[in-house]
Amino acid sequence: MGFYRRWRKWFIFPLVLAGVGAELLAAASSRGQEIEAVSPVEYGSFVDNQGMPIEAQLNPTYRQRRSQPFQKQNDLPDVPQLPQSPRRNPIPSRRSIAIADIQVRFVDQDGQPIPGNTRPYIITREFDLEPGDVYRPDVAQQGLERVTELDSVEDATLSLQPTNQPNQIIMIVNVVEDSSFNVTAFPSASRAKGIYGVLRLEEENLGGNNQNLALELEAGEDTLGFEVSFTDPWIAGDPLRTGYSLAVFNQRSPSFIGGDREVDLPNGETPWVHRLGGSGEVFRPLGGNWQAGVGVSYQRVSIRDQVFTDQVQPVDEFGNPLSLSDRGQDDLLTVNLSAVQDNRDDTDYPTQGTNVRVGMDQSVPVGEADIFLNRLSGSYTQYVPVELFGFTSGDQTLVFNLQGGTVIGDLPAYEAFSLGGGSSLRGYQSGEVGAGRSYLQATAEYRFPLFTWLGGRIFADYATDLGSGDTVTGEPGEVRDKPGSGFGYGVGVRVRSPFGPVQVDFGLNDQGDSQVHLGVGERF
């Protein structure tokens, strides 16, 4: 983790070149063969109703921690073997060794003591052991693994120090801290936003409390936005490990795209969706690796003809409504429930396990639009390790994903499920397949090693709006002649980078067109 973070800045320049290359490839390509960023199935243009770009995949509440770039030296010591003497009793059994104290020692890469930035309490609370408890290696191991997962920790080991009492020890946690302030920048491209860049400034150990404060900026040809977020993963003193997150955002980009028919505003301009709002969420772990959250989100959504303008546009050139109110501006207040069970062996480069996500958003009618909707969604992913085709080293994995969702009640056009694109249906452009009230999507992949830093994959995707395109307000999919379902297949590569896997996929679709997709992060 620490090595990758320290070298992030040296990877920005090559990625900028990659973004320029994407632009050149898009310009030289034939019809339907453009560079496009990976983006999950969206509500309009946003994954979580909070207005930030889906390509970043940086939900503050359920952000997955980066995988470790090296093996942690965290094997636990056994009970220390104290020297024997005529006046010392024989070493007591493990069950009779008591913990006299738990101490935190901050060290450098060479193991030399140095001052630390993290409060010792933040480290020791990860252990289900206290002074006076019997030392249990299995429980200590679980706590040490949680310590190494903290964003502020690069590595941690455990040592046991004898005391002058024959049946007591001092448990010492040796911590190598990571750099807490990170700057991440990368280019991307999509049909909706053109060539654009994302810059993220992040303090991961605010006040030594393992709290996260982040600013994310996005700007490009057809997009402009920001998000400021704060996350406390564990409220101090809470025995249930409850955390919370807060965010404010402003996002502006074209959203009504895709299809065989281009539909503009009455003045001939492209419709832009402006979102301004904030959100808050409280979350906590449950049994069986489940984590659940409940939150509230408010956003003011308006349809406009450019990035900077006060003029709202309620309908398209054919008179179809783009918002639920007649003014072209809606207020959307939702209560959000979500749950995640992540049993993968790695968050960025998984090779086995499962990942389950379910969610429900219930709107509360406010403002002139008086929107009343209930959105249900779910996703299941299975990773299966295999040995095929004689590869001698590296992991081979079959990946299967099934996901779907539906909306009950009012459904503004900008909140429809948008199908097509890098993580929806490869081989199609973003939003080209459908914009529906409901959807179902399935993916199968075979991932295999090429080099230590590079992997390949063969994939097949299918997605459908289940014939629900004509039930969305304004029928954005129908008026743009979107097919409503499609199939895609192809090949791709995954490059290990300082901020997760960089993916490049070449996909063919059942209409005979092709598409190149560029993205950052695990797809599911």
Side-chain angles (χ1 to χ4, degrees), residues 371-452:
I371 299 174
F372 187 78
L373 66 81
N374 181 274
R375 176 170 39 231
L376 303 172
S377 60
S379 173
Y380 175 83
T381 307
Q382 176 81 53
Y383 299 85
V384 182
V386 295
E387 295 183 4
L388 301 174
F389 306 121
F391 288 99
T392 58
S393 63
D395 295 314
Q396 303 176 57
T397 309
L398 291 177
V399 184
F400 303 97
N401 173 262
L402 180 66
Q403 58 182 277
T406 190
V407 176
I408 303 169
D410 301 324
L411 181 56
Y414 53 80
E415 289 295 303
F417 294 108
S418 182
L419 302 179
S423 67
S424 172
L425 180 49
R426 286 165 289 189
Y428 281 93
Q429 297 176 1
S430 177
E432 189 177 11
V433 176
R437 175 178 292 272
S438 303
Y439 85 99
L440 187 65
Q441 178 180 304
T443 290
E445 286 188 4
Y446 167 55
R447 299 178 179 178
F448 53 91
L450 295 174
F451 302 99
T452 56

Side-chain angles (χ1 to χ4, degrees), residues 75 145 160 393:
D75 293 334
E145 291 174 356
L160 305 180
S393 63

